[in-house]
Amino acid sequence: MEIIGIVKKLFDIQKFDSGFKKREMVLTTEEPYPQNILIEFIQDKVDLLGSIRQEDKIKVFINIRGREWTNPEGIIKYFNSIQGWKIEEIQHSIENKTSISPSLSSSSEDFDDLPF
């Protein structure tokens, strides 16, 4: 699955005594009713956020994870998380809000070779 949106917030890396690490971000979708989606990146995938900045437009490839937990009273609860595993930058916003990544841009030269 994938989600496209604007980076609203990047959180700091969280490191745990066990060696586990994660970093979360909030991505705001661009649709009639925008959603703020919390996406976590774990272990080596944390590095994917190294060049990402707030307000960048990106595509995030995700997996949805679910887990069951029994609380101390014996009641079973269910939790979901969204884990990112790949990012494609669509629009970088730091210096030039109109720059589009080369793989997604087109120019008039692209159409000069048409046979008609």
Side-chain angles (χ1 to χ4, degrees), residues 62-111:
I62 61 163
N63 291 323
I64 298 175
R65 302 285 184 216
R67 61 193 166 282
E68 181 179 277
W69 175 71
T70 304
N71 73 11
E73 291 80 33
I75 299 171
I76 298 174
K77 301 215 177 219
Y78 296 91
F79 297 92
N80 299 314
S81 62
I82 300 171
Q83 291 182 350
W85 56 271
K86 180 180 174 184
I87 295 176
E88 289 181 4
E89 191 174 308
I90 295 174
Q91 187 173 15
H92 205 41
S93 66
I94 289 184
E95 296 173 4
N96 184 357
K97 289 195 179 270
T98 60
S99 70
I100 298 176
S101 65
S103 63
L104 299 174
S105 66
S106 62
S107 68
S108 60
E109 294 174 11
D110 294 337
F111 302 103

Side-chain angles (χ1 to χ4, degrees), residues 1-114:
M1 298 178 76
E2 59 192 53
I3 300 174
I4 297 174
I6 305 294
V7 177
K8 180 175 185 172
K9 180 147 181 76
L10 287 164
F11 294 93
D12 292 333
I13 296 173
Q14 298 174 32
K15 294 181 182 178
F16 301 89
D17 292 338
S18 64
F20 182 80
K21 66 179 179 175
K22 76 174 184 175
R23 187 172 186 194
E24 297 173 321
M25 65 172 285
V26 176
L27 194 71
T28 303
T29 61
E30 296 182 307
E31 53 192 343
Y33 299 100
Q35 301 295 308
N36 292 312
I37 308 294
L38 179 70
I39 304 170
E40 65 181 18
F41 294 80
I42 61 170
Q43 299 301 80
D44 61 328
K45 302 302 181 192
V46 167
D47 298 337
L48 296 174
L49 295 172
S51 64
I52 302 300
R53 301 289 176 251
Q54 202 165 319
E55 297 186 20
D56 284 354
K57 182 174 183 178
I58 60 175
K59 179 192 294 187
V60 182
F61 294 83
I62 61 163
N63 291 323
I64 298 175
R65 302 285 184 216
R67 61 193 166 282
E68 181 179 277
W69 175 71
T70 304
N71 73 11
E73 291 80 33
I75 299 171
I76 298 174
K77 301 215 177 219
Y78 296 91
F79 297 92
N80 299 314
S81 62
I82 300 171
Q83 291 182 350
W85 56 271
K86 180 180 174 184
I87 295 176
E88 289 181 4
E89 191 174 308
I90 295 174
Q91 187 173 15
H92 205 41
S93 66
I94 289 184
E95 296 173 4
N96 184 357
K97 289 195 179 270
T98 60
S99 70
I100 298 176
S101 65
S103 63
L104 299 174
S105 66
S106 62
S107 68
S108 60
E109 294 174 11
D110 294 337
F111 302 103
D112 288 345
D113 294 336
L114 294 176

